[in-house]
């Protein structure tokens, strides 16, 4: 019979591998010196963004990352680390992490993956500074709407000038 600690490590490693396969994005954070209530606040924030925080021993995380083909991310595992898995929009999760890290200096963004591309701390900050999906959609709609609005405005001014010209002719003939 296996020892309980070894069994727990095997189950945790299996869970990480499964989460890595199912997730579109993974973020690695260092939470050293972050209090328990703050860590719970972070978990709730991430849950609102449809992401999960998984805290695990570094050796187990490194082994799972190597077995999953993410050797480049192994270097980000240093100190008390957590893995954040998300199947949803990674921009929302990176914004939540970035905002939380600004208010809690103990949280350090280490790196992550975006659809099998390894990213570092600067990339996460760049993602966090992107406008939201709704804002980008609004810009696209305004860009598409602008030429149509311009055409309508020009045609309207042409009609106004034509009516003004007819009005002037009418006034000259009545005088």
């Amino acid at each position: 019979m296996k020892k309980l600690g070894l069994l727990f490590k095997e189950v945790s490693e299996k869970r990480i591998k499964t989460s890595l396969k199912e997730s579109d994005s993974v973020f690695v954070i260092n939470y050293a010196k972050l209090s328990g209530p703050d860590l719970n606040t972070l978990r709730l924030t991430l849950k609102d963004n449809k992401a999960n925080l998984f805290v695990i021993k570094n050796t187990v995380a490194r082994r799972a990352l190597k077995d999953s083909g993410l050797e480049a991310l192994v270097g980000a595992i240093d100190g008390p680390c957590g893995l954040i898995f998300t199947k949803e929009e990674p921009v929302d999760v990176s914004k939540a992490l970035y905002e939380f890290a600004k208010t809690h200096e103990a949280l350090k963004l280490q790196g992550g993956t975006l659809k099998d591309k390894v990213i570092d701390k600067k990339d996460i900050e760049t993602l966090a500074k992107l406008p939201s999906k709704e804002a980008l959609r609004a810009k696209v709609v305004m860009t598409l709407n602008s030429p149509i609005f311009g055409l309508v405005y020009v045609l309207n001014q042409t009609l106004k000038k034509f009516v003004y010209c007819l009005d002037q002719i009418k006034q000259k003939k009545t005088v």
Side-chain angles (χ1 to χ4, degrees), residues 10-56:
E10 288 176 0
V11 170
S12 298
E13 184 177 345
K14 188 184 226 182
R15 182 174 171 198
I16 290 174
K17 288 179 183 178
T18 304
S19 295
L20 284 169
K21 287 177 186 174
E22 294 174 352
S23 300
D24 289 337
S25 302
V26 178
F27 298 96
V28 179
I29 60 167
N30 184 320
Y31 64 89
K33 300 180 184 175
L34 193 66
S35 69
D38 288 341
L39 195 59
N40 284 335
T41 304
L42 175 62
R43 276 196 166 110
L44 290 174
T45 303
L46 292 171
K47 194 172 189 175
D48 291 342
N49 289 301
K50 297 180 179 121
N52 296 319
L53 172 63
F54 193 70
V55 176
I56 190 65

Side-chain angles (χ1 to χ4, degrees), residues 62-98:
R62 285 185 187 113
R63 190 174 29 225
L65 289 171
K66 282 181 185 176
D67 291 347
S68 298
L70 296 171
E71 291 87 8
L73 199 56
V74 172
I77 306 291
D78 185 35
C81 286
L83 300 174
I84 298 167
F85 302 101
T86 181
K87 298 176 190 176
E88 299 293 322
E89 191 62 36
V91 175
D92 296 336
V93 176
S94 64
K95 283 182 184 194
L97 285 172
Y98 183 71

Side-chain angles (χ1 to χ4, degrees), residues 69-140:
L70 296 171
E71 291 87 8
L73 199 56
V74 172
I77 306 291
D78 185 35
C81 286
L83 300 174
I84 298 167
F85 302 101
T86 181
K87 298 176 190 176
E88 299 293 322
E89 191 62 36
V91 175
D92 296 336
V93 176
S94 64
K95 283 182 184 194
L97 285 172
Y98 183 71
E99 290 300 318
F100 194 85
K102 281 189 344 187
T103 58
H104 299 85
E105 295 177 6
L107 182 73
K108 305 285 187 238
L109 304 174
Q110 299 291 96
T113 63
L114 274 178
K115 301 195 191 255
D116 300 328
K117 180 183 182 250
V118 177
I119 58 173
D120 61 358
K121 179 182 177 179
K122 290 181 183 178
D123 294 330
I124 294 172
E125 290 176 3
T126 303
L127 272 177
K129 293 176 183 175
L130 285 175
S132 67
K133 196 183 260 189
E134 291 79 23
L136 289 174
R137 286 179 179 160
K139 284 183 182 183
V140 168

